[in-house]
Amino acid sequence: AVVSTQSTGGMDRAQKIVFGFTPETDNYGIMMYYRNRLIRSYVRVGYQTKPNNMGTGVVGIIECDYLTPTHNKQDFDNNKQYRSTLFALAQKLNDYWNEKCGDLDHAPDELVREIVPDQLWVQCENPRCLKWRKVPAHIAAEDLPEKWFCKDNKDLMYASCDIPMEVDELEQDQEPYIKTFKKRYKHALLNVV
């Protein structure tokens, strides 16, 4: 998904957001990064702020280099740009939820628990590296050690911290996200009238 934000010069910029589901029921929300540093984690927006199960399990990641972090890098300045970003994130998260879960008032517990990632990634624990690496499909998340380093990678092409981070094939070939839920909903309304 892409969110439109205003840069400091007043021009609209498109920002990429990655959404997915987590099997955890307590840890979900938006991860907000500034220059590859996590500033805010599990920020709940949109449906996630309501007292129901809608939005439960949805995790999003956005790189917010256009926002200004506070002096201690623990938050962002609460200005118009930040608030408009949260508003846009709420709309995109709601669209994603509607697309994946339809008109349900809340997701069934089975849906949240059964969703598994298409590809498992793990981050190197070396503080000078911190690169993300793909895990081969035959390895489950439970089989990974508590602390994982690039040297532990079974894919020898990426078994060193000196090797650049691999590119996600899905990202390279991915077409722009099309909001089919809203189109179906509008079409249904037009047919009812």
Side-chain angles (χ1 to χ4, degrees):
V2 174
V3 67
S4 180
T5 60
Q6 286 211 336
S7 65
T8 52
M11 306 250 322
D12 281 346
R13 292 173 41 175
Q15 291 299 124
K16 181 179 173 188
I17 311 166
V18 178
F19 285 114
F21 277 90
T22 177
E24 297 181 29
T25 56
D26 293 332
N27 296 326
Y28 56 90
I30 305 292
M31 305 296 179
M32 300 178 78
Y33 287 83
Y34 177 78
R35 296 185 181 169
N36 293 328
R37 178 180 178 159
L38 181 63
I39 303 295
R40 301 234 20 229
S41 60
Y42 302 117
V43 178
R44 295 190 179 172
V45 296
Y47 289 156
Q48 295 175 335
T49 61
K50 307 294 182 218
N52 57 29
N53 287 337
M54 293 178 72
T56 302
V58 177
V59 176
I61 299 172
I62 183 170
E63 186 72 34
C64 303
D65 291 344
Y66 56 92
L67 294 177
T68 307
T70 56
H71 70 285
N72 63 1
K73 309 277 192 284
Q74 299 297 311
D75 205 347
F76 291 102
D77 285 343
N78 190 4
N79 54 27
K80 182 179 177 183
Q81 218 173 11
Y82 175 70
R83 289 187 300 273
S84 68
T85 299
L86 289 181
F87 179 76
L89 285 169
Q91 289 180 320
K92 295 297 181 184
L93 183 133
N94 292 352
D95 290 346
Y96 180 80
W97 177 264
N98 291 336
E99 182 70 31
K100 297 297 181 184
C101 299
D103 292 331
L104 299 176
D105 287 337
H106 62 282
D109 291 338
E110 307 85 53
L111 176 68
V112 175
R113 287 195 190 102
E114 288 180 13
I115 293 177
V116 293
D118 296 334
Q119 179 67 50
L120 184 62
W121 291 72
V122 64
Q123 188 175 27
C124 179
E125 293 283 336
N126 181 346
R128 286 183 241 129
C129 176
L130 300 175
K131 292 183 180 104
W132 287 91
R133 304 291 188 192
K134 284 186 195 175
V135 176
H138 66 278
I139 298 177
E142 305 83 47
D143 298 335
L144 295 172
E146 188 69 30
K147 288 194 174 236
W148 188 92
F149 298 91
C150 287
K151 65 179 176 56
D152 299 329
N153 198 343
K154 302 294 182 206
D155 183 354
L156 299 179
M157 287 181 56
Y158 297 99
S160 168
C161 292
D162 298 329
I163 299 171
M165 191 160 41
E166 57 195 302
V167 178
D168 186 5
E169 292 116 20
L170 293 175
E171 255 180 49
Q172 286 178 331
D173 303 331
Q174 193 173 26
E175 294 181 21
Y177 177 72
I178 299 169
K179 299 179 192 175
T180 56
F181 176 78
K182 280 189 175 179
K183 287 181 181 178
R184 284 193 313 246
Y185 185 70
K186 260 187 193 174
H187 183 67
L189 285 176
L190 291 174
N191 288 337
V192 171
V193 177

